């Protein structure tokens, strides 16, 4: 339910309340928007950083649409009693995206408040629902602990264990937290003591997603009465709730899920806009003189935010259902590529990196954690690209890389100097 980006930004908001906000325009070279773009630019070269930035932009731009479309089809429409309809879902997606764009432009503080509220509701709901489901199963006897080891409707699938079975597939759910990493890191420029607060937000998001998510999934799985029927349903979580706790609790769940998706969507949109701004500030994004502009009143990158909205409109209007689904599936491959490459880059240069006093530090666990993260990322990437059904998605990713490569060659030809300098600071945003 959006626990990746929501929890990360919720943790960051909590750290900010303890540490205060930065002054306007006080961003420094060590605490900048851009996440993996900034990482790679400093660990390697600006050219390498640009590649990371392009991949992150493609991923986040599609992720916004994916989150909002899920809000429309899986939460809002069932809540409103609407029958499944792709066209209606697209219209609702565009309306939600417009509202998020307006709010993101109006104030970063508004985004933070919405996200904090979404996290609070989500956490409370997960705990309450998990307990309520456990009590309902114990009282009625409807449900079974055997569901936890059941292969469900895939019981007779010959290739079920081809890539590790359900356990391996469940592992890639953790990819959702990568969006949280990017969201927290992309807002680092607007945080106080980002070298301390942002890592804490990321670690907090992982712990919250793991502990509460596992509790919720166990409770839901045990509470399933009819696995084939639930598997065939369009909104399985709501159906389990309805079976065990009645329609009132089902609607309460859908309200909370709608709000959680909204919070996740607005955070992802904001993160994408900050990334566009960061690359444009350094002259490394199309129409960079426009995209690097920041509103003097709201301190938000208005053109970059509008660009993300415009891309969402194009995707919703131009792509048919099958193509949109393939594009969304392709976007799940991109974060695995981005973070796998980031870890490899970090391992290659870690020996020459300095340490900042008071900054977050894993100490002697740094290397084992980095290696374990790389192994997990590679395993997740393998699971994503190995099925035959993933072929089109892999082709889409290759196409996005090709488009980025063409623009990169144009920059090398027309404005090579822009790819030679280290990323700048906030003052660059106000150049003519």
């Amino acid at each position: 339910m959006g626990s990746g980006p929501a929890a990360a930004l919720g943790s960051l908001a909590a750290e900010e309340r303890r540490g205060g906000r930065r002054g306007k325009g006080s961003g420094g070279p060590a605490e900048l928007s851009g996440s993996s773009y900034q990482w790679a630019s400093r660990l390697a070269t600006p050219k390498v950083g640009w590649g990371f930035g392009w991949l992150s932009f493609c991923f986040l731009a599609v992720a916004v649409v994916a989150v909002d479309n899920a809000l429309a089809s899986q939460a809002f429409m069932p809540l409103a009693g609407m029958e499944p309809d792709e066209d209606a879902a697209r219209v609702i997606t565009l309306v939600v995206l417009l509202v998020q764009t307006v709010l993101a432009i109006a104030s970063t503080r508004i985004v933070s408040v919405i996200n904090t509220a979404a996290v609070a509701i989500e956490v409370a709901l997960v705990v309450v629902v998990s307990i309520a489901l456990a009590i309902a199963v114990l009282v009625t006897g409807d449900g079974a602990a055997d569901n936890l080891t059941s292969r469900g409707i895939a019981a007779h699938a010959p290739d079920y264990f081809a890539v590790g079975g359900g356990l391996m597939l469940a592992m890639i759910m953790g990819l959702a937290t990568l969006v949280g990493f990017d969201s927290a890191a992309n807002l680092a420029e607007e945080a106080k003591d980002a070298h301390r607060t942002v890592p804490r937000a990321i670690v907090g998001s992982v712990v919250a997603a793991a502990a509460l998510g596992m509790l919720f999934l166990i409770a839901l799985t045990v509470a399933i009465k009819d696995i084939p029927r639930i598997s065939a349903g369009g909104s399985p979580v709501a159906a389990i709730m309805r079976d065990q706790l009645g329609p009132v609790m089902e609607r309460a769940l859908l309200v909370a899920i709608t709000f959680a998706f909204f919070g996740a969507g607005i955070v992802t949109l904001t993160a994408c806009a900050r990334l566009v701004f960061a690359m444009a500030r350094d002259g490394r994004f199309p129409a960079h003189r426009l995209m690097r502009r920041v509103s003097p009143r709201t301190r938000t990158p208005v053109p970059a935010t509008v660009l993300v909205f415009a891309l969402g409109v194009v995707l919703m209007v131009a792509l048919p259902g099958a193509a949109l689904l393939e594009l969304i599936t392709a976007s799940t491959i991109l974060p695995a590529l981005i973070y796998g490459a980031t870890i490899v880059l970090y391992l290659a240069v870690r020996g020459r990196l300095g340490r900042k006093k008071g900054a977050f530090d894993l100490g002697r666990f740094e290397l084992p954690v980095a290696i374990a993260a790389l192994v997990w990322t590679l395993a997740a990437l393998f699971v994503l690209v190995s099925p035959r059904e993933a072929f089109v998605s892999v082709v889409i990713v290759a196409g996005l890389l090709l488009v980025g490569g063409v623009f990169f060659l144009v920059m090398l030809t027309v404005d090579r100097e822009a790819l030679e300098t280290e990323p700048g600071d906030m003052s660059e945003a106000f150049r003519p």
Side-chain angles (χ1 to χ4, degrees), residues 338-355:
I338 295 165
Y339 286 93
T342 302
I343 297 169
V344 170
L345 183 58
Y346 174 69
L347 289 172
V349 303
R350 60 184 291 270
R352 61 178 173 83
L353 297 178
R355 304 288 177 178

Side-chain angles (χ1 to χ4, degrees), residues 164-175 214 217 376 383:
L167 179 62
M168 179 64 80
L169 294 175
M171 285 176 61
I172 66 175
M173 292 180 66
L175 288 172
M214 180 65 72
L217 290 174
W376 176 84
V383 172

Side-chain angles (χ1 to χ4, degrees), residues 14 60 62 65 137 226 248 265-266 288 298 309 327 359 388:
L60 290 171
V62 177
V65 176
V137 170
D226 185 341
V248 174
I266 196 171
H288 61 88
T298 65
F309 168 74
L327 181 62
R388 289 191 299 271

Side-chain angles (χ1 to χ4, degrees), residues 195-216:
H195 60 278
R196 178 181 60 85
T197 58
V198 173
R200 287 186 178 182
I202 290 173
V203 172
S205 74
V206 174
V207 173
L212 296 179
M214 180 65 72
L215 174 68
F216 188 57

Side-chain angles (χ1 to χ4, degrees), residues 17-31:
R17 287 193 293 273
R18 287 193 288 270
R21 302 290 296 178
R22 298 188 59 170
K24 291 183 178 182
S26 61
E31 300 175 358

